[in-house]
Amino acid sequence: MNLIKVKNYDGMSEKATKLIVNRIHAIENPVLGLATGSTPEGLYQRIIEKYKQEEVSFKNVTTFNLDEYVGLEQNDTNSYYYFMNDKLFRHVDIAMNCVHIPSGIAEDLEKECTAFERELGQAGGIDVQVLGIGGNGHIGFNEPGTSFSSRTHVVDLEKSTIQANARFFHSIEEVPIQAISMGIETIMSSKEILLLVSGEAKADAMEKLLLGEVSEDFPASILKKHEHVTIIADAAALSIAEGK
Ligand code: PGA
């Protein structure tokens, strides 16, 4: 894993933008794996700026998102479809038929997972997957204990994840308790992975990732087995790992 240390959130977003724009230019028909949450927002804002300055285009880009809540409609402001559209897609020239986000309201969720995997295969797999990390080490919504050989699946969210995400909802009762998530093996089959980590709340997870063992109890630890991972982490996120 290649670790790039930056000062703060802006530094992380800046570096990530450079890397993603570079890959969009370098790859003929790039397939990007995208993430939601607070971590990649600065990246998306900067990409939109680059698009406005005509420094990047999404005309040939296909995207696959990591996850979606079960039970939320696309136009629900808390759905990840809404998030992606609001924070990135509607501001750039991406063809919406090239956007893939699992549907959390599909009648048959298992079928939805299979269809998502099939479309991913048809697109030739992910060139670069953007990832955040949960305080509990989750990647996507793959909570501790998830099998490393999992493919896209329906997951039960951990209490700590529900609590962490409650900040976006009116009350904790409104937070969905299930999601569809790319599996760990799905994520690991990406050609390149870009993990973004910022803030003190992630310091503990960063210490476990950098200094701990590879274990299903800490899903992100599998990234050590991937050949092409770049971590961009800020000083606060590294404060515990580097203090040792
Ligand atoms: P965050 O979430 O970017 O909102 O911190 C990351 C995650 O839980 O994977």
Side-chain angles (χ1 to χ4, degrees), residues 36-40 131-135 138-141 161 165 167-168 202:
T36 51
S38 305
T39 307
L131 280 187
I133 185 171
H138 74 202
I139 47 176
F141 268 137
T161 300
N165 291 358
R167 68 189 192 277
F168 299 111
K202 303 291 169 69

Side-chain angles (χ1 to χ4, degrees), residues 175-210:
V175 185
I177 53 170
Q178 284 190 312
I180 290 181
S181 177
M182 274 189 208
I184 306 261
E185 197 180 87
T186 319
I187 294 170
M188 286 293 282
S189 63
S190 308
K191 296 173 191 101
E192 179 178 3
I193 291 175
L194 175 62
L195 175 66
L196 305 180
V197 198
S198 170
E200 226 182 304
K202 303 291 169 69
D204 202 34
M206 271 311 277
E207 188 221 5
K208 287 204 181 91
L209 174 63
L210 296 176

Side-chain angles (χ1 to χ4, degrees), residues 79-173:
S79 77
Y80 287 165
Y81 184 94
Y82 188 96
F83 176 102
M84 288 309 303
N85 208 29
D86 188 44
K87 308 284 184 201
L88 180 64
F89 297 146
R90 72 186 176 87
H91 305 280
V92 297
D93 59 344
I94 194 160
M96 285 308 279
N97 62 340
C98 292
V99 163
H100 303 84
I101 303 178
S103 169
I105 52 154
E107 220 167 277
D108 186 333
L109 294 172
E110 296 302 332
K111 256 196 193 153
E112 179 66 15
C113 296
T114 312
F116 186 82
E117 285 281 341
R118 192 176 52 240
E119 284 163 14
L120 185 48
Q122 283 164 353
I126 291 169
D127 292 305
V128 194
Q129 174 68 55
V130 177
L131 280 187
I133 185 171
N136 63 1
H138 74 202
I139 47 176
F141 268 137
N142 295 292
E143 303 286 31
T146 304
S147 163
F148 282 157
S149 59
S150 52
R151 303 296 302 197
T152 302
H153 58 150
V154 178
V155 300
D156 295 325
L157 302 180
E158 265 204 357
K159 211 170 151 197
S160 66
T161 300
I162 293 171
Q163 278 161 352
N165 291 358
R167 68 189 192 277
F168 299 111
F169 294 79
H170 297 300
S171 70
I172 196 160
E173 288 74 32

